[in-house]
Amino acid sequence: MINKNCLNCNKELKDKYCSGCGQKTETHRISFKNFVFHDLLHGTFHIEKGMLFTAKEALTRPGKAALDYIAGKRIRYYNVFYLILITIGLILFFRHFYDVLDSILIGKVTPESSHTKDLNEASKTLDEIFSQKSKVIIFLFVPLSALNGFILFRKKKLNLSEHFIIAGMILLGMLLISALGNLFFYFDLIIPFNSTFTSCISLLVTALIIIHVGFGYFNAFGNDYTKFGIAFRILLFFVLISFEIAILFMIVFGFITNWKFGQVNLSPFG
């Protein structure tokens, strides 16, 4: 059904989409077939294409993707910070579902898999950070990275807010790598990993996350500096953010020990 005026806002229609509210010009009458195969199934299982595109860009070209977004090429991208929260939710789901499956299968697998209890114990701190303080990740990594990027990478003359976009895109890539790492551990429920292999995988995921940060800034600013110049700036970026995080932890430790810095049993952010 094609209408002369938008059925949503009544604005005159001149194209495939309303220039006032964005609704499609062509609408269909709701029939049983249309309801089942379009509104119900499509609405339930459809994944916003922008999500997949933004996720792919955050993994493969985070710096250039952020620069494209800053330059105004935004229609293909999903909101980076919304997608960060969705990814954190997925990580939580993967971890929780792993624990559920592990509790169901623990009596049916070989004794070697008992190390998964240690894996779950080691994950508790990270679970707490993700589940209870997930927004802290955004409000710590993103502003610190944006500030450091603003100081170190000046040739493109980006403002601080634009550096927030770059930091957000890189953080999204980091969380996606973490989510994939969590998925990999599901194989442990089928073929139990030994503790050495588990440690190697955990170290590999951590290394990939750190490499991704450096790659993101190289991807964004590599053409603006010499190889030595970009390498030096990325190294200095890691030094700065490590120093800033250390200062923040010292402040937290000082506060909870009444500035005596004695022995503390820590539950980070708890």
Side-chain angles (χ1 to χ4, degrees):
M1 183 187 300
I2 300 178
N3 308 284
K4 293 182 179 180
N5 294 85
C6 177
L7 296 178
N8 185 57
C9 67
N10 206 39
K11 188 177 180 67
E12 184 180 358
L13 296 172
K14 297 180 180 180
D15 209 337
K16 292 182 179 181
Y17 295 89
C18 174
S19 60
C21 66
Q23 180 170 284
K24 284 186 176 182
T25 301
E26 185 178 356
T27 59
H28 56 267
R29 185 174 181 179
I30 298 176
S31 64
F32 179 76
K33 179 181 178 181
N34 186 273
F35 169 73
V36 171
F37 290 101
H38 185 275
D39 293 284
L40 185 60
L41 294 179
H42 180 79
T44 302
F45 297 104
H46 174 69
I47 298 177
E48 177 63 45
K49 290 181 179 179
M51 289 184 179
L52 296 178
F53 177 77
T54 305
K56 176 183 75 71
E57 295 289 282
L59 284 171
T60 60
R61 54 190 297 272
K64 291 189 182 300
L67 292 177
D68 286 346
Y69 187 90
I70 291 167
K73 301 176 182 178
R74 300 174 187 174
I75 193 167
R76 299 182 69 185
Y77 290 94
Y78 191 79
N79 185 291
V80 172
F81 295 98
Y82 288 165
L83 195 50
I84 285 171
L85 294 177
I86 291 171
T87 306
I88 290 173
L90 283 175
I91 292 172
L92 284 172
F93 172 77
F94 293 154
R95 287 182 169 274
H96 175 72
F97 195 56
Y98 176 92
D99 289 340
V100 171
L101 289 177
D102 184 52
S103 65
I104 294 172
L105 299 174
I106 192 68
K108 301 179 182 180
V109 296
T110 60
E112 185 182 8
S113 68
S114 62
H115 81 277
T116 55
K117 291 183 178 180
D118 296 331
L119 177 63
N120 292 336
E121 287 295 323
S123 298
K124 283 183 179 179
T125 300
L126 188 57
D127 286 338
E128 184 177 356
I129 295 172
F130 274 125
S131 60
Q132 297 182 14
K133 304 293 181 181
S134 59
K135 292 182 181 179
V136 171
I137 298 172
I138 297 175
F139 294 118
L140 283 179
F141 178 85
V142 172
L144 290 177
S145 297
L147 179 61
N148 294 339
F150 179 74
I151 293 170
L152 295 171
F153 305 102
R154 302 286 293 172
K155 283 194 175 182
K156 276 191 165 53
K157 298 182 179 179
L158 302 177
N159 61 42
L160 185 59
S161 298
E162 290 167 333
H163 277 280
F164 268 72
I165 301 298
I166 296 173
M169 190 69 74
I170 292 172
L171 175 59
L172 175 58
M174 294 164 61
L175 291 173
L176 288 170
I177 293 171
S178 179
L180 293 173
N182 277 270
L183 275 177
F184 181 81
F185 277 100
Y186 276 73
F187 289 107
D188 179 44
L189 298 173
I190 303 171
I191 305 174
F193 300 159
N194 60 48
S195 57
T196 301
F197 185 73
T198 298
S199 299
C200 289
I201 295 299
S202 298
L203 287 173
L204 177 62
V205 172
T206 302
L208 287 175
I209 289 172
I210 294 172
I211 290 170
H212 186 76
V213 176
F215 168 69
Y217 281 99
F218 176 82
N219 191 232
F221 304 107
N223 294 332
D224 299 322
Y225 302 94
T226 64
K227 290 181 179 180
F228 174 80
I230 189 67
F232 174 76
R233 283 170 172 79
I234 290 173
L235 178 61
L236 189 55
F237 173 89
F238 280 114
V239 171
L240 285 174
I241 201 165
S242 298
F243 177 76
E244 291 156 355
I245 291 173
I247 292 294
L248 287 174
F249 273 115
M250 286 182 65
I251 292 172
V252 172
F253 293 168
F255 180 77
I256 63 178
T257 60
N258 198 25
W259 307 104
K260 294 179 180 179
F261 295 99
Q263 184 176 354
V264 180
N265 295 322
L266 290 175
S267 177
F269 301 94

